[in-house]
Amino acid sequence: TLEQEAATSGLNFLAGFGALLVSGNLLDRLGRRATLLISSLLLLAGAAVVCLAQDFGVLLLGRVLQGLGSGCSWSACSVYITEIAPKQYRGALVAIADISINVGILVGYGLDYVVNVSVDDANVRWRVAMAFSVTMPLLYTLLYPWVPETPRWLVMRGRDTEAAAVM
């Protein structure tokens, strides 16, 4: 039970560190777009480690990566939306992003239920359920070449021509 609690709630605890320590520095140094890619790569790596884990220590390492990626993406997503969206839509789009997190959690519970009633082997069951966590970071990673940098970050870097093209 203690291991289940650590593996489950540890993600939320580590997400705070991801938001505070990882994304804050990366957002300013590398840009909003690159920070979102790094968060997606952390989430993908974490999912791979979790799904392939053969002991509790490796499982926790995967959850650490997922926690850092989650926290990094939560803060980077809000900053990205705020800076890329027209002012009349910013509040609504950030709210939709926040609501989407909760909808995603609900969908995750639903998928977990389907997996639990569909897969007999308990050792395979949780791995299949955790494998679903790759869907959104994989989608972002595939779409990354078409995601523009925010005009604000480009202007902060003296790249005014690129900022004008994004707007």
Side-chain angles (χ1 to χ4, degrees):
T1 303
L2 181 62
E3 288 179 347
Q4 287 177 335
E5 290 172 3
T8 303
S9 62
L11 176 85
N12 294 330
F13 179 72
L14 293 165
F17 284 107
L20 293 171
L21 301 175
V22 178
S23 68
N25 293 321
L26 294 179
L27 282 166
D28 290 337
R29 291 182 187 183
L30 302 178
R32 286 60 168 134
R33 180 177 180 258
T35 302
L36 286 167
L37 178 63
I38 290 168
S39 67
S40 290
L41 295 175
L42 283 167
L43 287 164
L44 289 171
V49 171
V50 165
C51 289
L52 299 173
Q54 295 300 315
D55 62 53
F56 184 65
V58 175
L59 176 71
L60 283 183
L61 173 64
R63 295 300 280 173
V64 165
L65 293 171
Q66 288 180 314
L68 293 174
S70 293
C72 186
S73 68
W74 290 338
S75 61
C77 182
S78 294
V79 171
Y80 185 85
I81 291 169
T82 300
E83 292 183 3
I84 200 86
K87 65 181 176 181
Q88 66 268 27
Y89 301 117
R90 285 182 195 145
L93 290 174
V94 170
I96 289 169
D98 288 342
I99 292 167
S100 296
I101 292 169
N102 293 298
V103 169
I105 291 169
L106 180 63
V107 169
Y109 282 126
L111 284 172
D112 189 53
Y113 175 78
V114 169
V115 169
N116 277 317
V117 298
S118 303
V119 179
D120 292 329
D121 185 352
N123 190 42
V124 173
R125 185 182 311 135
W126 69 267
R127 294 175 194 276
V128 170
M130 292 303 294
F132 281 109
S133 67
V134 305
T135 52
M136 293 312 292
L138 181 61
L139 179 63
Y140 179 79
T141 302
L142 293 173
L143 295 175
Y144 178 76
W146 296 278
V147 175
E149 183 56 79
T150 66
R152 182 177 186 274
W153 188 82
L154 291 168
V155 168
M156 288 172 29
R157 294 288 181 248
R159 296 163 54 182
D160 296 352
T161 307
E162 290 176 69
V166 171
M167 293 183 75

